[in-house]
């Protein structure tokens, strides 16, 4: 799925012989999939999981469901770089066809996205099957309690760039032909949620703003360690996701883990990789000292969604499982998320009200606001937990034993567990109190447009006025050595001080007291690890010894 901490995250594997701990999940029951043979089947099902759906297959499959009277509404969130419509399927009983109607039902709205990395194909297949099965399920069911927004083929352009998995998805156990990770512009869409350079991301944010989902689920495949789990998961990892992040981590995911085991026979665990200090030559090393999650930056979709004060869940099917099993574990996981969300609807509502009213209160009274994290590091107090891993052996030659497993290495099917430190969360290293509002110069229209794409309310100052502001004097501007996604990320250091400012008519004002206040804060603070500074939006306005172009208004705004 991601290689947040460097491409060497192939992770250490084990050489241990003669062990037989059968900790692999018991697949007693697969997800309750339909067996009605009159209903259309996905390309994956039709080919016995030898192939995954093309874009045309996805549209044809949805067409065929509709021809049979499937009671969903079908729209589009927008178009890809190459002009493909991005289908959105909305399922609920009664059927709704607009955000207003969905809101009127008063039920949780769950947005599930497949295929952001188009080589990771089971999310797309699982979602198509789920759309079918929910549409034609008899009797009362989950669609009476939630609204499901399904986006099965988010990186549709990448999906169509079929090539062998050896090329597009090196560490994956089939299918043989899959799409690319990047979109048609070459961007990783799961690094684009702050800077929004892809039309797909713009479409996705517009859908978030319009439908206001309560829960966002992003479906991926791992590409690292040989662990013993059918699927790994993560909440928003950003410490500024005070509400949805913590609630998902501590209250939803442990229950989902239990239900996946009890109801489906799938063992699941927190997303992570074994310590990656070993290179490829050490694949069979027996030293494992820790289990590490990925980065906390909101450039990743599920981290980002937590900063909107809502719940998000990253789903990562195990790449070394056969394609069919990955589809089934993903399918079961999404179903369980839907039903748990329905059960917890009132609690989730209350949590959202707290998230929204807190940022509004902080923006109205910034001197008493809670500091919000802007930079963080992996926890220094990890819990010790049992983590399951698989034993691997060297074959003694250069044969390929399974697609996605390096030559000369063989999986044994022997699983063991070891107690190790689990680094599944981050702690803040820098926090700042949010102001009442930010002031941007009249010419910073690119930043303003971006803020608005995020659903942040930005006002134009219509007359000259004076205000007490905090300004940030820049001590250093450091650009990353290596380019990343076409950028050299910038980090600022400096000092805050307070002074009077004549705000000119035509400037822009961004109040913090709004539901997207944390997003505005994270994007505009000069010291943010993933804001507009990092992504070069202010490069031409950054000079050592001068002031950062965005100031903070500390008094409540009229
Ligand atoms: Zn991925």
């Amino acid at each position: 799925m991601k290689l947040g901490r460097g491409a060497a995250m192939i992770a250490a594997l084990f050489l241990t012989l003669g062990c037989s701990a059968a900790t692999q999940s018991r697949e007693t029951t697969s997800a309750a999939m339909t067996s009605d043979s009159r209903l259309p089947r996905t390309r994956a099902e039709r080919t016995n999981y030898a192939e995954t759906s093309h874009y045309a297959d996805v549209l044809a499959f949805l067409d065929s469901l509709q021809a049979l009277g499937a009671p969903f509404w079908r729209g589009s969130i927008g178009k890809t770089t190459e002009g493909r419509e991005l289908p959105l399927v909305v399922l609920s009983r009664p059927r709704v066809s607009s955000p207003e109607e969905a809101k009127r039902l008063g039920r949780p709205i769950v947005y599930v996205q497949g295929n952001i990395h188009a080589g990771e194909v089971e999310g797309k297949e699982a979602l198509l099957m789920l759309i079918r099965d929910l549409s034609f399920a008899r009797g009362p069911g989950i669609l009476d309690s939630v609204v499901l927004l399904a986006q099965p083929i988010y990186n549709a352009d990448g999906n169509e760039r079929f090539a062998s998995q050896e090329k597009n998805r090196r560490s994956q156990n089939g299918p043989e032909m899959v799409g690319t990770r990047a979109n048609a512009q070459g961007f990783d869409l799961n690094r684009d949620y702050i800077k929004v350079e892809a039309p797909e991301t713009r479409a996705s944010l517009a859908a978030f703003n319009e439908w206001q989902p309560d829960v966002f689920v992003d479906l991926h495949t791992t590409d690292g360690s040989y662990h013993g789990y059918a699927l790994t998961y993560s909440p928003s990892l950003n410490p500024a996701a005070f509400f949805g992040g913590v609630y998902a981590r501590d209250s939803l995911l442990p229950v989902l883990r239990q239900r996946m085991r009890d109801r489906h026979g799938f063992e699941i665990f927190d997303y992570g990789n074994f310590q990656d200090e070993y290179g490829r030559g050490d694949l069979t090393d027996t030293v494992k000292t820790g289990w590490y999650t990925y980065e906390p930056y909101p450039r990743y979709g599920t981290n980002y969604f937590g900063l909107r004060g809502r719940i998000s869940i990253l789903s990562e099917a195990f790449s070394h499982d056969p394609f069919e099993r990955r589809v089934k574990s993903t399918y079961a996981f999404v179903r369980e998320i839907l039903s748990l969300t329905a059960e917890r609807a009132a609690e989730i509502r209350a949590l959202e009200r707290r998230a929204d009213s807190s940022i509004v209160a902080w923006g109205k009274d910034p001197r008493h606001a809670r500091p919000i994290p802007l930079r963080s590091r992996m926890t220094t107090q990890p819990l010790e937990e049992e983590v399951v891993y698989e034993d691997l052996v060297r074959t003694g030659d250069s044969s390929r034993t399974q697609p996605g497993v390096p030559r000369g290495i063989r999986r044994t099917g022997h699983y063991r567990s070891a107690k190790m430190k689990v680094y599944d969360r981050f702690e803040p290293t820098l926090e700042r109190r949010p102001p009442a509002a930010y002031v941007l110069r009249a010419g910073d229209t690119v930043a303003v447009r971006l803020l608005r794409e995020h659903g942040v309310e930005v006002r134009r100052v219509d007359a000259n006025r004076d205000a007490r502001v905090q300004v940030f004097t820049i001590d250093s501007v450091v650009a990353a050595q290596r380019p990343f996604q076409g950028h050299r990320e910038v980090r600022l250091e400096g000092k805050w001080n307070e002074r009077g400012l004549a705000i000119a008519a035509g400037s822009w004002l961004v109040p913090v007291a709004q539901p997207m206040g944390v997003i505005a804060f994270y994007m505009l603070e000069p010291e943010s690890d993933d804001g507009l500074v990092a992504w070069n939006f202010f490069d031409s306005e950054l000079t050592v010894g001068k002031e950062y172009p965005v100031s903070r208004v500390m008094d409540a705004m009229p």
Side-chain angles (χ1 to χ4, degrees):
M1 156 262 181
K2 55 189 40 121
L3 296 168
R5 298 187 311 117
M9 212 178 248
I10 184 83
L13 308 170
F14 276 59
L15 173 66
T16 34
L17 298 166
C19 46
S20 61
T23 40
Q24 191 174 20
S25 60
R26 331 165 299 284
E27 225 159 290
T28 49
T29 56
S30 78
M33 295 183 187
T34 184
S35 54
D36 189 336
S37 57
R38 289 162 303 177
L39 293 176
R41 295 192 303 155
T42 62
R43 189 178 186 115
E45 292 171 306
R46 288 196 317 268
T47 61
N48 199 23
Y49 294 89
E51 297 176 21
T52 187
S53 301
H54 293 234
Y55 180 71
D57 297 322
V58 171
L59 299 190
F61 183 79
L62 296 176
D63 288 345
S64 62
L65 295 180
Q66 283 185 301
L68 290 171
F72 56 71
W73 180 80
R74 182 173 160 190
S76 158
I77 63 166
K79 285 186 177 169
T80 64
T81 309
E82 293 179 337
R84 293 185 176 90
E85 292 284 354
L86 291 169
L88 182 72
V89 177
V90 181
L91 295 107
S92 70
R93 201 159 35 221
R95 194 182 89 130
V96 296
S97 55
S98 72
E100 295 68 37
E101 284 177 25
K103 234 157 264 157
R104 269 202 295 278
L105 287 180
R107 300 173 187 165
I109 300 175
V110 184
Y111 187 111
V112 188
Q113 173 173 281
N115 203 57
I116 184 170
H117 292 145
E120 305 169 13
V121 290
E122 59 273 21
K124 172 183 58 184
E125 303 297 345
L127 265 179
L128 292 177
M129 291 157 72
L130 194 59
I131 291 168
R132 172 193 62 205
D133 298 351
L134 291 176
S135 292
F136 294 102
R138 291 200 186 86
I142 195 66
L143 294 186
D144 298 301
S145 331
V146 298
V147 177
L148 168 61
L149 309 183
Q151 168 54 261
I153 187 161
Y154 180 49
N155 182 4
D157 294 348
N159 191 78
E160 296 308 279
R161 287 165 159 70
F162 278 91
S164 70
Q165 67 154 70
E166 177 75 11
K167 179 164 184 283
N168 281 351
R169 280 288 298 163
R170 228 176 33 217
S171 302
Q172 186 164 291
N173 189 1
E176 171 54 20
M177 299 295 285
V178 295
T180 56
R181 179 181 185 85
N183 78 341
Q185 298 162 291
F187 288 132
D188 185 333
L189 295 176
N190 203 27
R191 304 293 182 275
D192 197 43
Y193 277 93
I194 289 289
K195 62 186 173 67
V196 196
E197 290 181 292
E200 292 88 348
T201 316
R202 272 194 288 282
S204 165
L205 294 190
F208 289 167
N209 294 334
E210 233 189 314
W211 291 89
Q212 298 286 331
D214 302 282
V215 178
F216 170 56
V217 183
D218 202 18
L219 305 175
H220 292 253
T221 320
T222 62
D223 46 21
S225 301
Y226 290 79
H227 58 61
Y229 306 101
L231 185 147
T232 47
Y233 51 75
S234 176
S236 175
L237 293 173
N238 195 288
F242 293 123
F243 300 96
V246 173
Y247 179 75
R249 184 189 70 202
D250 296 342
S251 193
L252 294 182
L253 288 165
V255 175
L256 289 168
R257 186 179 173 193
Q258 191 64 41
R259 288 183 181 180
M260 284 289 278
R261 174 185 295 154
D262 296 346
R263 297 176 178 178
H264 308 282
F266 286 122
E267 293 293 329
I268 68 173
F269 195 61
D270 299 88
Y271 177 79
N273 283 285
F274 297 112
Q275 192 168 37
D276 62 342
E277 65 191 37
Y278 311 101
R280 271 186 165 264
D282 302 311
L283 273 177
T284 53
D285 200 301
T286 54
V287 181
K288 276 189 173 64
T289 55
W291 179 250
Y292 293 84
T293 188
Y294 72 108
E295 300 172 324
Y297 305 127
R299 63 190 62 175
Y300 297 88
T302 52
N303 290 338
Y304 167 78
F305 204 73
L307 298 192
R308 294 175 68 103
R310 297 294 181 265
I311 292 165
S312 53
I313 296 174
L314 171 76
S315 165
E316 296 264 350
F318 181 44
S319 67
H320 300 293
D321 269 346
F323 181 30
E324 180 174 5
R325 186 168 195 258
R326 302 198 318 263
V327 172
K328 287 181 172 164
S329 60
T330 302
Y331 180 104
F333 192 53
V334 174
R335 261 196 115 116
E336 292 299 340
I337 290 171
L338 293 175
S339 67
L340 186 57
T341 301
E343 289 167 36
R344 299 285 184 86
E347 209 170 291
I348 290 171
R349 267 295 127 66
L351 184 84
E352 293 175 350
R353 280 198 297 272
R354 257 197 343 270
D356 293 351
S357 62
S358 297
I359 187 64
V360 167
W362 300 336
K364 284 184 170 161
D365 186 11
R367 312 248 173 214
H368 297 98
R370 171 178 176 167
I372 302 177
L374 279 172
R375 295 180 185 173
S376 54
R377 66 174 171 218
M378 227 172 233
T379 178
T380 51
Q381 293 167 316
L383 296 175
E384 293 247 345
E385 286 182 68
E386 297 283 340
V387 182
V388 179
Y389 60 88
E390 183 179 4
D391 297 324
L392 301 183
V393 292
R394 293 194 185 281
T395 57
D397 57 24
S398 62
S399 60
R400 172 91 64 197
T401 57
Q402 178 184 305
V405 173
R407 290 178 183 284
I409 300 286
R410 187 167 51 77
R411 296 177 64 188
T412 61
H414 292 163
Y415 292 85
R416 294 192 297 163
S417 74
K419 202 156 203 177
M420 65 186 77
K421 292 192 164 82
V422 172
Y423 296 84
D424 64 346
R425 62 195 68 187
F426 287 78
E427 57 196 27
T429 53
L430 180 71
E431 297 180 302
R432 297 287 180 212
R433 255 180 245 286
Y438 294 94
V439 185
L440 280 73
R441 295 170 184 170
D444 283 328
T445 51
V446 177
V448 167
R449 197 177 63 221
L450 182 68
L451 287 161
R452 285 177 169 160
E453 281 173 346
H454 282 274
V456 173
E457 185 207 337
V458 182
R459 297 178 200 156
R460 184 130 210 176
V461 178
D462 49 15
N464 294 344
R465 61 202 272 188
D466 295 315
R468 210 59 215 158
V469 298
Q470 291 180 344
V471 291
F472 185 80
T473 304
I474 299 169
D475 289 338
S476 77
V477 182
V478 178
Q481 294 283 314
R482 285 194 318 164
F484 177 71
Q485 299 287 304
H487 289 264
R488 284 186 197 274
E489 292 172 72
V490 168
R491 178 175 277 234
L492 290 189
E493 305 296 342
K495 279 186 260 331
W496 285 103
N497 39 60
E498 207 158 310
R499 69 171 175 87
L501 178 72
I503 302 176
S507 305
W508 304 98
L509 207 58
V510 183
V512 167
Q514 58 171 311
M516 289 300 113
V518 175
I519 294 285
F521 169 86
Y522 217 93
M523 291 177 72
L524 290 171
E525 281 291 320
E527 297 160 296
S528 169
D529 61 15
D530 204 12
L532 296 190
V533 165
W535 292 109
N536 310 116
F537 281 83
F538 292 124
D539 274 11
S540 65
E541 299 174 78
L542 304 179
T543 311
V544 171
K546 295 272 170 53
E547 285 173 3
Y548 173 63
V550 181
S551 345
R552 321 165 89 216
V553 180
M554 294 309 288
D555 298 317
M557 300 304 298

